[in-house]
Amino acid sequence: MTAPTPRPTVGAHLERALTVTLDGEVAFDDYTRHLFSRDASMYAITPLGVAFPRHADDVAAAVRAAGELGVPVVPRGAGTSLVGQTIGPGLVLDTSRHMNRILEIDPAARTALVEVGVVQDQLNQAAAAHGLMFGPDTSTSNRATIGGMIGNNSAGSGSLTYGMTIDHVRALDVVLSDGSRARFEPIDEAERERRASAATLEGRIHRALPGLVEAHADAITAGMPAFWRRAGGYRLDRLVGFGPEKPFDLAKFVVGAEGTLVVATHALVDLVPRPGRTVYAVGHFADTPSAISATTDALDCDPHQVELMDRTILELSRRKLEFAGLGDILVGDPGALLFVSFTGDEEPELIARLDRLDALWRRNGHGYHTLRAVTPAEQGALLKVRKSSLGLLMAAGRGTRRPLAFIEDTAVDPAVLAEYTTRLKKILDDHGLEAGFYGHCSVGCLHIRPFVDLTEPDEVSTMRAVAEAVRDLVTEYGGVNSSEHGDGLARSEFNREIFGDELYEAMREVKRLFDPANIMNPGKIVDAPSMTDNLRDRDALPPASPLRTTLDFEVVGGMRGAADRCMNIGACRKASAGVMCPSYIATRNEEHSTRGRANALVKALSQPDPHAALGDPRLHEILDLCLMCKACKSECPMSVDMTSLKAEALAHHHESHGVPARSRLFAAIRALNRLGSATAPLSNLPGRVPLLRRLLERALGITAARPLPTFHRVSLQRWFRRHRPPAPRQEAPLGTVTWLADSFTSYTEPGIGRATVELLERAGWRVELAAGGCCGRSGMSKGLLDDAAKKATALVTSLDRGADPESLIVGCEPSCVFMVRDEYATLLPDSAPARAVAKRVRQVEELLVEAVDAGLLTLRADSWLAGRRVVYHGHCHQKAEVGTAATLALIRRIPGVEVVEIDAGCCGMAGSFGFESEHYETSMTVGGDRLFPALAAEPEDTVVAATGVSCRQQIFHGAGRTAWHPVELVREALADRDRGEPGA
């Protein structure tokens, strides 16, 4: 007997075979394997390798090669599965990177032909041009792929109207377990017999499956849960009774099979008409049971959806800047909200349905207030929170005590939901578990995630006991154990008890028929391991070794704890709104997402010598494209702060490999700019001589493709010493304000600094210039943390010495302002002066808005800006830390302007990033994704505004538009200006 091939040798053989055969990439390195060992579940299994197929032929070749070596195949879309479907020990096929084309939309037939890596929002945006959309509307629509939704049989908040994914799949192109390809679609008996005659795996399936269904028809009818909204087991019920009136439809049959039977490559899906209008009634209730009890009345009004959000989610939302607007909308202090939506084309009809619901709730004593949200503006803040419920709940975890998905999408008939939920809550109480409740009351599905620490053996046992009790409870109520998130590793173990022995054995026969060698995502749906195997926190992570860090991560459990907050829900893979994550948007590469980087850092920080591991070149490669935009700090539900993590990792990398000259140069940007200003205009010549630019690129890697900033001979400091305030400084009625003279408004854009100083002085402030040193931002961004700390300490000392603790510090370069206000807390954690200084920092826009509103600054109604459209692009750090409300408010104070904030993500410049030769192309790709096209669509007379120096540079270079700082526009509109032309 021949001994089995050792697994490392199998991996090497498979890697060589795939590298030769596939057009797509192949990765078998340890870091990539670790990144794909996780999804959004509580599990972790390290795969043998990962392939990124470019097309269906690649998928077939990969399955064939893996099968020849007995290696399991694990199909994967966005990797956001909640119960472990997309992880496994074999070859992961990531179809999201390349197989993401919409091949055809047929408006007449209301269908779309797509590759399986297409994202739901991507399809909806394309279909919207025809008044259509894909019906299943998951909360993860901005990253969920159609292939993942098919594998999972996903639903969403609108499933009462649109059903589940299975109801919208017309045909699938698939790869079978032997690497052959087939098309699954509804066929009549004659066509089935024709296909059954082939001496192929497809033929065998068409021959044997009808007999299997017929033999177990009674068990299928009796054993399948009666409730319609289910996402567990194989859908044999869809094949029962096929014949002249019911086609044999394998396309629908394999929906929800979790990749255990076939790998889909293309899907023909139905589209539905996009509703013309949607209106919401948001019921306010004292507690969750009261809200659930009101569901029946809501269903009597024929709603599109009825969604629950409990107090836990509401309180979590109040802690996030992103959802700050919610507090201004709600009435009182609700213990739960019920979102009821109605869709249609006629607003009066929709309003009448709102009236009817309101009357029903009043008559039956449900709730204490019903908020109406009719317009998109009224709905925005509400819907943003509702779609973020999962992320908010996940963020409430601390360390390894996390809200886990193991009972979180059971469903029962809505008529018994209140009673069922009360009993489920008692199970949790009896076991001492806390949980948040939210989800789809309209279809009897609530997402309930108990907080469990899987590093504690007793809590693992408790989790299992609760899972078994809930399984029995949902069965008692005739419900389903999974109604939209599938079986995976969390629930497959229970399928024999749920479906009964005969039906379960029929499902095992199906698995053997489709996959005789058991290579297609084994261990899911049938023949599964225990739900307590392969637990991420217990089994995959050793205790973290000690590591000295410069930045303070102790509030989140050290540097590894900060990275391990990532729960892989994939919000950083969105591509159509917000900022996070610009490098993923540019590359569509998992390792260049916040999730990918966080997981890579977890791996490095789990090594016996984490300091040495942080110097690993492969880790550095993964971190390299992070633009340090800080969007993850606010847009990631877990607030994973990759900017700080990368800065610390770079510091350790430098200790191992030395500091590059270019990093030292950029860290010294203030000294460089000061020297450039002192020697201007001669210092500007090198930027204009192509030969010198090429030499600079060769020597330091500073790209010759991008213009360098222009140094100004008259710096802000020089101007400030010579200028005369409008009134004697001692007479300033508002007191003293310290102006943070950053390295850019001091030497390369002093006009912005002059405009700001003039505005503050005219408003009645005495302005003092803090021009003594750099804030340390440039050094921190390059990982020179000791240098950054030294500069920060010096600046804090100068700002704190003899200062009135109530006096304000303002600036207009967001990266510097928020460095002082927010980053010093981690860079100088033990510095009381740093904390005192941080409390004094405000945005200059806030002071100027107050001055205009108080009549201290008068803006002309007939300035050249009157009648103009102003489009504003916010700085990433500003958006991450406080949002753009103050800046927008300031621009809107200019009489006669139309102000529009463009949702264009990150500009791609990111300080020095866009100047670096190896990053230039990525920088321009990021800007070209949304920002450049948005500006290109604007008329020539549109005024462009941006708060960040990097943003203004990128806009000029990439879009050919000159961007103003908002304070410059306010200065242009000041009453002492002639109406004239810009800058007159």
Side-chain angles (χ1 to χ4, degrees):
M1 181 176 176
T2 305
T5 308
R7 298 309 287 177
T9 305
V10 169
H13 285 326
L14 183 58
E15 182 178 12
R16 283 195 296 270
L18 296 176
T19 301
V20 171
T21 307
L22 269 57
D23 290 333
E25 303 86 354
V26 176
F28 278 65
D29 65 283
D30 286 347
Y31 271 98
T32 301
R33 293 169 59 231
H34 177 78
L35 265 55
F36 285 84
S37 70
R38 299 173 166 198
D39 55 13
S41 72
M42 59 187 172
Y43 299 103
I45 302 175
T46 302
L48 196 62
V50 184
F52 304 91
R54 288 189 177 273
H55 41 66
D57 287 342
D58 271 2
V59 174
V63 172
R64 194 159 44 246
E68 290 171 356
L69 292 169
V71 173
V73 173
V74 183
R76 181 174 172 120
T80 57
S81 55
L82 296 175
V83 287
Q85 292 97 322
T86 61
I87 57 173
L91 175 68
V92 172
L93 297 181
D94 181 356
T95 58
S96 67
R97 185 189 293 188
H98 300 304
M99 296 180 64
N100 50 28
R101 296 178 300 158
I102 300 173
L103 302 175
E104 181 185 16
I105 291 179
D106 185 338
R110 292 183 180 173
T111 61
L113 178 62
V114 301
E115 292 181 320
V116 292
V118 166
V119 171
Q120 183 183 345
D121 275 359
Q122 176 191 353
L123 175 57
N124 283 337
Q125 287 163 8
H130 308 286
L132 301 171
M133 60 179 281
F134 187 57
D137 52 342
T138 64
S139 62
T140 55
S141 62
N142 59 11
R143 67 260 197 201
T145 65
I146 299 300
M149 296 177 72
I150 290 168
N152 215 45
N153 193 18
S154 300
S157 59
S159 61
L160 183 65
T161 304
Y162 298 125
M164 307 180 73
T165 299
I166 195 170
D167 302 308
H168 299 269
V169 172
R170 284 203 185 186
L172 295 174
D173 290 336
V174 302
V175 173
L176 303 178
S177 64
D178 62 352
S180 61
R181 295 174 62 179
R183 183 172 179 82
F184 287 175
E185 58 193 339
I187 56 176
D188 60 22
E189 180 60 14
E191 176 61 17
R192 186 198 65 78
E193 290 181 352
R194 187 191 70 77
R195 296 188 185 192
S197 65
T200 61
L201 178 55
E202 181 187 5
R204 188 159 66 249
I205 291 169
H206 281 86
R207 285 194 302 275
L209 190 55
L212 187 156
V213 171
E214 186 175 351
H216 300 286
D218 290 343
I220 295 168
T221 301
M224 253 332 154
F227 192 59
W228 66 271
R229 198 181 195 269
R230 55 183 180 270
Y234 295 133
R235 296 306 298 268
L236 287 163
D237 56 305
R238 290 278 178 158
L239 299 178
V240 170
F242 73 90
E245 302 299 321
K246 182 179 179 181
F248 188 73
D249 190 351
L250 289 184
K252 292 191 187 302
F253 173 68
V254 298
V255 172
E258 302 183 0
T260 63
L261 303 181
V262 299
V263 181
T265 60
H266 300 83
L268 181 67
V269 297
D270 286 320
L271 302 175
V272 299
R274 180 180 291 272
R277 295 293 306 274
T278 301
V279 300
Y280 285 84
V282 183
H284 293 46
F285 300 87
D287 51 41
T288 299
S290 299
I292 296 174
S293 296
T295 299
T296 304
D297 279 353
L299 290 175
D300 286 343
C301 297
D302 191 25
H304 173 64
Q305 60 185 10
V306 183
E307 300 284 293
L308 171 76
M309 184 186 299
D310 77 347
R311 181 182 294 278
T312 301
I313 307 295
L314 288 170
E315 290 181 348
L316 292 171
S317 72
R318 294 187 178 108
R319 304 175 192 172
K320 295 280 285 185
L321 169 68
E322 189 177 0
F323 309 117
L326 186 66
D328 299 329
I329 300 171
L330 301 182
V331 175
D333 183 24
L337 297 177
L338 210 56
F339 294 75
V340 183
S341 71
F342 301 96
T343 60
D345 296 322
E346 302 298 329
E347 183 173 317
E349 177 190 341
L350 298 177
I351 297 298
R353 290 159 75 183
L354 287 179
D355 291 340
R356 183 185 171 205
L357 174 62
D358 191 14
L360 266 178
W361 276 352
R362 288 175 183 273
R363 184 162 64 245
N364 295 327
H366 290 310
Y368 66 85
H369 178 72
T370 300
L371 174 70
R372 296 180 180 219
V374 175
T375 67
E378 292 170 341
Q379 296 168 7
L382 291 163
L383 301 188
K384 196 173 187 180
V385 174
R386 184 184 61 76
K387 291 199 77 168
S388 302
S389 295
L390 170 59
L392 288 166
L393 192 59
M394 299 283 272
R398 288 292 177 267
T400 51
R401 185 177 181 271
R402 311 181 196 262
L404 300 181
F406 61 96
I407 58 168
E408 56 90 46
D409 72 325
T410 62
V412 297
D413 190 305
V416 297
L417 181 61
E419 180 183 329
Y420 168 78
T421 306
T422 298
R423 290 183 59 185
L424 193 153
K425 178 70 164 56
K426 185 176 187 307
I427 292 173
L428 297 178
D429 292 343
D430 289 347
H431 289 85
L433 295 182
E434 300 176 14
F437 288 64
Y438 70 98
H440 321 300
C441 286
S442 49
V443 290
C445 168
L446 292 184
H447 299 312
I448 302 168
R449 286 183 164 233
F451 287 82
V452 180
D453 186 346
L454 295 180
T455 65
E456 298 291 336
D458 288 348
E459 296 204 26
V460 174
S461 299
T462 296
M463 177 181 73
R464 181 178 191 86
V466 169
E468 291 174 346
V470 170
R471 173 202 66 197
D472 295 342
L473 179 68
V474 75
T475 301
E476 177 185 338
Y477 278 88
V480 293
N481 208 34
S482 173
S483 67
E484 63 181 5
H485 295 153
D487 290 329
L489 296 170
R491 289 186 281 259
S492 294
E493 177 192 358
F494 301 128
N495 277 344
R496 183 181 291 276
E497 287 84 356
I498 290 169
F499 295 112
D501 286 339
E502 183 180 348
L503 180 51
Y504 182 75
E505 287 301 324
M507 292 180 182
R508 294 184 72 212
E509 288 182 53
V510 168
K511 172 67 171 173
R512 290 192 293 270
L513 174 61
F514 276 79
D515 183 22
N518 196 32
I519 68 162
M520 305 295 276
N521 204 12
K524 319 300 191 316
I525 299 183
V526 297
D527 299 323
S530 167
M531 69 168 292
T532 56
D533 288 352
N534 304 303
L535 297 176
R536 159 183 158 167
D537 290 333
R538 183 193 66 189
D539 303 331
L541 289 181
S545 298
L547 176 70
R548 176 193 59 80
T549 62
T550 302
L551 299 179
D552 181 17
F553 296 103
E554 290 312 308
V555 71
V556 286
M559 188 177 179
R560 193 181 79 168
D564 197 38
R565 278 190 59 75
C566 176
M567 280 299 291
N568 301 291
I569 62 177
C572 49
R573 290 173 60 102
K574 62 185 172 64
S576 58
V579 177
M580 181 181 68
C581 174
S583 55
Y584 176 77
I585 292 171
T587 65
R588 297 298 198 271
N589 189 335
E590 171 71 19
E591 69 183 46
H592 297 313
S593 67
T594 304
R595 177 175 76 176
R597 295 186 184 102
N599 281 328
L601 282 167
V602 168
K603 175 177 171 56
L605 295 165
S606 300
Q607 302 304 309
D609 185 352
H611 170 69
L614 289 173
D616 189 303
R618 178 70 179 110
L619 175 66
H620 185 64
E621 180 182 8
I622 293 171
L623 297 178
D624 183 53
L625 289 189
C626 172
L627 281 74
M628 304 178 83
C629 68
K630 295 178 71 172
C632 47
K633 188 174 181 181
S634 61
E635 293 184 27
C636 168
M638 310 302 295
S639 298
V640 173
D641 184 0
M642 191 50 60
T643 295
S644 297
L645 288 165
K646 180 181 177 180
E648 186 68 49
L650 281 174
H652 288 266
H653 185 272
H654 294 334
E655 288 182 12
S656 299
H657 301 281
V659 181
R662 187 179 65 188
S663 294
R664 293 190 185 278
L665 178 71
F666 282 130
I669 192 65
R670 188 175 186 88
L672 180 66
N673 284 357
R674 184 169 60 243
L675 177 62
S677 174
T679 57
L682 292 177
S683 55
N684 292 317
L685 291 178
R688 300 169 186 165
V689 179
L691 176 61
L692 293 178
R693 291 300 308 274
R694 288 195 294 272
L695 290 174
L696 187 63
E697 181 161 21
R698 186 176 302 172
L700 290 173
I702 297 175
T703 179
R706 186 182 295 279
L708 295 177
T710 298
F711 299 112
H712 288 253
R713 180 75 172 180
V714 180
S715 67
L716 177 62
Q717 291 87 332
R718 182 179 293 188
W719 170 85
F720 187 79
R721 286 194 298 268
R722 296 175 180 175
H723 96 292
R724 291 187 176 183
R729 303 187 67 177
Q730 63 270 21
E731 296 179 8
L734 297 181
T736 299
V737 63
T738 300
W739 170 251
L740 197 61
D742 62 83
S743 304
F744 311 102
T745 54
S746 290
Y747 305 111
T748 61
E749 294 183 304
I752 296 172
R754 291 197 298 266
T756 309
V757 170
E758 289 175 352
L759 288 169
L760 289 170
E761 289 181 337
R762 288 182 183 277
W765 291 96
R766 180 187 305 112
V767 179
E768 294 184 352
L769 216 61
C774 177
C775 67
R777 161 60 63 192
S778 54
M780 185 170 178
S781 70
K782 292 300 168 189
L784 301 179
L785 297 183
D786 290 340
D787 173 74
K790 186 182 300 182
K791 290 173 179 173
T793 300
L795 182 60
V796 164
T797 300
S798 68
L799 292 171
D800 187 58
R801 185 186 298 120
D804 179 350
E806 301 299 319
S807 67
L808 300 178
I809 301 168
V810 297
C812 63
E813 174 52 38
S815 59
C816 299
V817 170
F818 295 111
M819 176 72 177
V820 177
R821 202 198 77 159
D822 297 297
E823 304 297 343
Y824 283 6
T826 55
L827 185 63
L828 305 173
D830 300 322
S831 171
R835 291 192 292 273
V837 165
K839 291 178 181 178
R840 294 164 52 200
V841 175
R842 289 181 68 187
Q843 298 176 91
V844 71
E845 295 95 322
E846 297 175 86
L847 272 64
L848 295 178
V849 166
E850 292 169 1
V852 173
D853 291 349
L856 300 174
L857 289 175
T858 302
L859 306 184
R860 294 180 65 106
D862 61 347
S863 73
W864 66 267
L865 289 162
R868 295 288 188 96
R869 175 179 167 93
V870 179
V871 294
Y872 169 64
H873 175 72
H875 189 283
C876 291
H877 290 192
Q878 179 186 20
K879 288 184 275 195
E881 297 291 0
V882 297
T884 57
T887 305
L888 290 167
L890 178 62
I891 305 173
R892 289 182 177 129
R893 294 305 190 273
I894 301 172
V897 299
E898 175 196 0
V899 184
V900 176
E901 182 177 19
I902 48 178
D903 181 9
C906 176
C907 73
M909 188 65 181
S912 62
F913 183 90
F915 283 109
E916 295 164 353
S917 298
E918 71 275 23
H919 297 146
Y920 174 77
E921 184 177 346
T922 299
S923 170
M924 296 302 288
T925 300
V926 172
D929 177 63
R930 281 183 286 157
L931 178 59
F932 300 162
L935 295 176
E938 292 292 332
E940 287 187 9
D941 65 348
T942 296
V943 177
V944 182
T947 39
V949 58
S950 296
C951 306
R952 294 189 294 274
Q953 291 169 343
Q954 180 79 318
I955 287 169
F956 181 77
H957 179 56
R961 306 289 290 257
T962 297
W964 298 69
H965 194 289
V967 298
E968 294 180 288
L969 296 179
V970 175
R971 184 66 184 91
E972 290 290 303
L974 200 62
D976 70 337
R977 287 281 193 192
D978 292 332
R979 187 179 189 282
E981 293 298 321

